[in-house]
Amino acid sequence: MMTEQLPENDSNLDALLNRQFAGKVVRKDLTKLIKEGANVPVYVLEYLLGMYCASDDQATIDAGLVNVKRILSENYVRPDEAEKVKSKIRESGSYKVIDKVTVRLNEKRDVYEALLSNLGVKNAEISDAYVRQFEKLLVGGIWCIVTLHYRFEENQKGSPFLVSDLKPIQMPNMDMPGLFEGRKAFTEALWIDALIRSTGMEPSCFKDRVKWHLLARMIPLVENNYNFCELGPRGTGKSHIYKEISPNSILVSGGQTTVANLFYNMAARKVGLVGLWDVVAFDEVAGINFKDQDGVQIMKDFMASGSFSRGREAISANAAMVFVGNLPQGQTVESLVKTSHLFRPFPEVMIDSAFFDRFHAYVPGWEIPKMRPEFFTNQYGLIVDYLAEYLREMRKVNFADAIDKWFKLGNNLNQRDTIAVRRTVSGLLKLICPAGDYDKEIVRKCLEYALEVRRRVKEQLKKIGGMEFYDVHFSYIDLEDSQERFVSVPEQSSGALIPDGRLAPGALHTISMGTSEMPGIYRIEIQTIAGGGKVSASGAAPREPVRVAFDYFKANSARVSASIKPGEHDFHLQLVELKNAGAPQSFTLASFIALCSAALGRPVQSQMAIMGDMSLGGTVVQVRNLAESLQLAFDAGAKKILLPMSSVGDIPSVPGELFAKFQTSFYSDPVDAAFKAIGVE
């Protein structure tokens, strides 16, 4: 049934776009058609297509296409034909080219010199007026239609090439009232489809939830100082929008970068990328590497406040920071959630809770399907340059207060969470309702999405930074009915590490501080065979605690049960590390209980986590970092906790609502612990 409706919807949306935005739309298959033959950004192509093919009349389109192809074949410089074009410029005296132009100051000659990327001309003289007018020429460069002159003189110091005229490939002006008026003709769903189509994607191929993710990718383009993260599999088009769609964003490919390039060059007294672009996007986050030691610190500073200090200067900028990258190959999201955290692809120097806390949103890139040919649209969409200018204009307004009219945020959100949620809501509303004519339901949808993408950040922070980030149960209150509604994160509920139901005898879960100084969760499994009273260990198990536990077990097994005969069996213990925390620091007591369980052939209680440790003489050792360990136990699916009496004094450090989640048993010595774990009468 859906397939029958699609063509009608398509033509409906096409007709609407052509009627409301005449001259500002283009058929996206034309872009694809030419894109394959010319390696220019989409906004360059569509600038030309908008000039010659903005029509739904096929004859006009065909004639326009001929013009565009002619301009590209004559004026677009292919790197392999650079010498031929240089010769043309020399022979005719001047010539018009389409190329990416970057400018630098030649201090020795006190002139600005242009580098034309494809043409390979490195030092063509350019007027100061163009540099003052288009500052981006100095940082990163912009695509332009350039008229080059050739003037050769004897003994001249500079290049014979001169830039006599330069026109950036961008729209000259933006009629925002016209856009607001045009938007009124669309329903919310149709407008979202129109936006997605304008970026080159076909919305009818995606589920509603994926459409929201694609929309979220555009928030950094409309929201100042927005910090956005998207990690997912390869080939889902994460960097496409920042590289191809907007001339106002720059994509920094993974690799070494400097504070001077990104923020401020002290020698040249020039602001870096963050001052000149609306969006600075980092591709392949795993490869980000700062040459300067204070790089990450300055980035943290900027992401928190939109300003940074360099020398004596305090500099403000509005750039949004975008981090996109790939999840580790061969690892599913489910296993990452269980064993590590979703920020793992970031370089070691950046894995810091204070850095990630500044992220306003984490979009689940793994929910977006890998791009296939049919995902790219053949229908009409806004010319990307018009889209980019609209998005840029929207940076001047703010809809962060839209929430307050109908909703209130729950008490688990701190100041940073509140700012993040408000910014995401504001960004989504700027995209969906640019004129500010939003209603309660659309604000609700934006709010629920904003709470989810911020909670995803918070859930990972909880794993990295522990109890400081305990409050993750995000909610909002509808002012009309005073009902509190909680917002969850889909991947968080995917299967617990401590499963429901009884384990085999000799198997149990324990929580201990690992060598990484973070609490880890471990599963012990013991196999019993007939033998002469020996023990062996494999997996991540440290040998010494196992030997100590076995010695205590042989000496005290009769206190647990007269039926245990340690000298008649051999025991093989395996330790499985379920969370990347390193080898456990407390392991002896859990090994002793597991040996008792295996020898008796009785399982420990279901969904129980054992904490605490013991010495060789049987003295009980209290739990380190009780609050964080209990939080980990809860996240892993534990319902029962076995704690030493000596940890009672630490219970006030645990939030009351967390402690109340467990059925807690206390033990005074190792034998008591074994009784309570196994339930021996």
Side-chain angles (χ1 to χ4, degrees):
M1 191 171 167
M2 205 166 164
T3 47
E4 289 170 16
Q5 287 177 343
L6 279 179
E8 189 190 325
N9 287 347
D10 285 351
S11 58
N12 200 359
L13 187 51
D14 285 352
L16 262 175
L17 281 165
N18 269 297
R19 193 162 60 247
Q20 300 299 329
F21 298 99
K24 300 182 183 77
V25 292
V26 68
R27 237 177 54 209
K28 297 290 171 174
D29 58 330
L30 304 180
T31 309
K32 276 194 297 186
L33 200 71
I34 303 177
K35 174 77 180 155
E36 282 154 16
N39 192 20
V40 292
V42 171
Y43 55 84
V44 173
L45 274 184
E46 292 197 1
Y47 178 85
L48 296 169
L49 289 167
M51 281 172 70
Y52 297 101
C53 304
S55 167
D56 51 358
D57 175 50
Q58 195 57 44
T60 313
I61 290 171
D62 291 344
L65 272 177
V66 170
N67 272 331
V68 171
K69 283 177 178 171
R70 179 181 54 76
I71 292 164
L72 283 172
S73 66
E74 289 178 10
N75 304 110
Y76 168 67
V77 182
R78 283 175 46 179
D80 57 332
E81 291 183 350
E83 292 306 315
K84 184 177 150 188
V85 177
K86 282 184 199 172
S87 165
K88 262 187 193 173
I89 300 167
R90 180 181 179 268
E91 297 308 319
S92 57
S94 84
Y95 192 69
K96 199 177 274 188
V97 298
I98 297 172
D99 204 345
K100 189 176 183 182
V101 182
T102 313
V103 172
R104 68 179 185 91
L105 176 65
N106 183 333
E107 293 97 337
K108 289 179 182 169
R109 294 182 55 224
D110 190 32
V111 292
Y112 286 107
E113 293 177 344
L115 160 71
L116 283 86
S117 301
N118 288 357
L119 190 60
V121 170
K122 288 185 180 165
N123 43 8
E125 206 168 304
I126 182 168
S127 160
D128 301 12
Y130 292 125
V131 179
R132 278 195 295 275
Q133 200 178 345
F134 311 112
E135 279 193 325
K136 284 182 190 171
L137 288 166
L138 294 161
V139 183
I142 46 182
W143 281 84
C144 306
I145 298 172
V146 186
T147 306
L148 284 171
H149 273 269
Y150 189 87
R151 192 177 65 210
F152 181 77
E153 291 167 8
E154 292 274 339
N155 303 321
Q156 78 178 31
K157 289 180 182 172
S159 163
F161 291 101
L162 279 151
V163 174
S164 65
D165 188 36
L166 179 142
K167 186 184 177 190
I169 294 182
Q170 288 174 330
M171 292 211 46
N173 54 30
M174 182 69 203
D175 172 23
M176 288 308 283
L179 182 126
F180 296 157
E181 197 55 42
R183 162 67 181 93
K184 286 178 185 171
F186 294 76
T187 62
E188 178 203 303
L190 274 176
W191 183 247
I192 291 172
D193 284 1
L195 287 175
I196 292 170
R197 225 177 242 178
S198 302
T199 66
M201 304 292 167
E202 179 46 61
S204 60
C205 296
F206 303 112
K207 294 175 183 165
D208 276 352
R209 185 163 162 80
V210 174
K211 288 183 191 178
W212 277 80
H213 299 332
L214 296 175
L215 210 58
R217 286 176 175 175
M218 297 160 80
I219 299 174
L221 294 162
V222 293
E223 197 65 24
N224 293 320
N225 299 112
Y226 189 76
N227 308 319
F228 173 93
C229 171
E230 183 188 339
L231 301 179
R234 287 168 171 76
T236 55
K238 292 184 287 289
S239 57
H240 167 76
I241 200 158
Y242 311 112
K243 190 178 181 188
E244 300 279 3
I245 300 301
S246 176
N248 306 316
S249 65
I250 189 164
L251 188 71
V252 180
S253 292
Q256 201 165 63
T257 185
T258 62
V259 169
N261 176 42
L262 205 55
F263 295 104
Y264 190 75
N265 188 325
M266 302 251 307
R269 292 188 167 274
K270 282 205 166 61
V271 180
L273 300 175
V274 295
L276 294 157
W277 298 87
D278 289 349
V279 176
V280 177
F282 294 88
D283 197 10
E284 301 301 337
V285 291
I288 301 172
N289 177 20
F290 271 103
K291 224 174 178 180
D292 325 65
Q293 283 187 326
D294 58 348
V296 176
Q297 193 53 49
I298 291 174
M299 189 181 268
K300 275 195 306 203
D301 197 12
F302 174 71
M303 285 165 70
S305 61
S307 63
F308 56 93
S309 301
R310 208 71 182 121
R312 292 182 185 173
E313 307 262 0
I315 299 138
S316 296
N318 292 326
M321 302 291 265
V322 171
F323 300 86
V324 294
N326 301 318
L327 289 172
Q329 267 191 307
Q331 263 202 293
T332 62
V333 172
E334 285 77 14
S335 72
L336 263 181
V337 168
K338 285 180 188 177
T339 61
S340 180
H341 55 82
L342 294 172
F343 285 127
R344 202 160 139 222
F346 278 81
E348 197 62 42
V349 67
M350 284 184 167
I351 295 189
D352 167 19
S353 55
F355 174 68
F356 294 133
D357 198 16
R358 287 152 166 79
F359 284 14
H360 297 128
Y362 184 148
V363 167
W366 50 89
E367 291 185 10
I368 299 170
K370 289 196 174 194
M371 293 300 149
R372 299 200 301 267
E374 62 266 30
F375 289 177
F376 296 93
T377 190
N378 293 329
Q379 309 302 128
Y380 283 86
L382 297 171
I383 297 167
V384 287
D385 203 39
Y386 179 75
L387 176 74
E389 286 306 304
Y390 143 51
L391 299 178
R392 190 167 207 203
E393 281 295 312
M394 290 310 295
R395 294 175 84 88
K396 296 172 185 173
V397 297
N398 194 337
F399 295 153
D401 58 350
I403 299 169
D404 303 331
K405 193 172 174 185
W406 296 287
F407 307 104
K408 192 172 109 187
L409 296 173
N411 59 7
N412 262 17
L413 282 87
N414 63 25
Q415 183 61 11
R416 273 212 174 126
D417 302 327
T418 305
I419 291 169
V421 167
R422 286 184 180 278
R423 288 211 172 160
T424 306
V425 169
S426 174
L428 288 168
L429 289 175
K430 286 180 195 181
L431 291 164
I432 302 167
C433 309
D437 49 356
Y438 41 78
D439 60 21
K440 183 178 175 180
E441 276 319 297
I442 188 62
V443 173
R444 184 195 302 273
K445 284 183 192 170
C446 295
L447 177 57
E448 285 180 353
Y449 187 84
L451 284 164
E452 183 207 309
V453 290
R454 173 61 188 176
R455 180 170 173 179
R456 186 168 289 107
V457 173
K458 212 69 185 285
E459 289 281 2
Q460 311 324 307
L461 287 175
K462 190 170 74 174
K463 294 177 182 184
I464 298 166
M467 286 312 290
E468 187 190 343
F469 303 100
Y470 164 71
D471 299 327
V472 294
H473 299 290
F474 285 7
S475 62
Y476 67 92
I477 297 153
D478 189 326
L479 295 177
E480 207 174 306
D481 59 12
S482 299
Q483 254 194 309
E484 189 168 15
R485 292 171 173 85
F486 287 85
V487 174
S488 61
V489 185
E491 69 274 3
Q492 222 45 47
S493 58
S494 56
L497 286 172
I498 300 177
D500 195 2
R502 292 249 165 154
L503 298 168
L508 58 79
H509 293 94
T510 181
I511 289 171
S512 156
M513 296 299 286
T515 48
S516 65
E517 288 301 314
M518 289 291 288
I521 184 159
Y522 307 88
R523 187 168 67 245
I524 297 174
E525 293 174 358
I526 291 183
Q527 193 178 16
T528 312
I529 50 172
K534 293 194 186 101
V535 69
S536 58
S538 63
R543 303 293 183 270
E544 188 58 21
V546 174
R547 190 188 64 74
V548 170
F550 191 62
D551 288 351
Y552 189 86
F553 168 69
K554 284 193 294 188
N556 293 276
S557 59
R559 288 173 59 199
V560 179
S561 173
S563 63
I564 298 176
K565 305 280 190 282
E568 294 177 6
H569 295 94
D570 285 345
F571 300 88
H572 180 77
L573 183 148
Q574 188 184 28
L575 181 73
V576 182
E577 192 184 333
L578 298 176
K579 198 171 168 56
N580 296 336
Q585 296 180 14
S586 316
F587 181 55
T588 311
L589 179 92
S591 301
F592 168 69
I593 295 172
L595 286 162
C596 294
S597 166
L600 283 166
R602 293 184 62 167
V604 299
Q605 295 188 50
S606 70
Q607 291 183 292
M608 175 173 266
I610 290 158
M611 296 186 195
D613 207 10
M614 60 181 272
S615 68
L616 177 60
T619 307
V620 169
V621 180
Q622 71 183 84
V623 180
R624 278 181 62 201
N625 284 29
L626 180 63
E628 287 186 25
S629 299
L630 285 174
Q631 180 63 59
L632 178 62
F634 176 68
D635 291 342
K639 298 281 174 41
K640 298 171 187 155
I641 296 289
L642 191 60
L643 283 180
M645 288 295 287
S646 51
S647 288
V648 168
D650 294 337
I651 289 172
S653 70
V654 182
E657 59 189 274
L658 174 62
F659 196 74
K661 302 270 190 211
F662 303 107
Q663 190 182 320
T664 310
S665 305
F666 295 95
Y667 60 88
S668 52
D669 65 38
V671 173
D672 185 28
F675 283 151
K676 285 177 175 158
I678 302 166
V680 179
E681 286 83 25

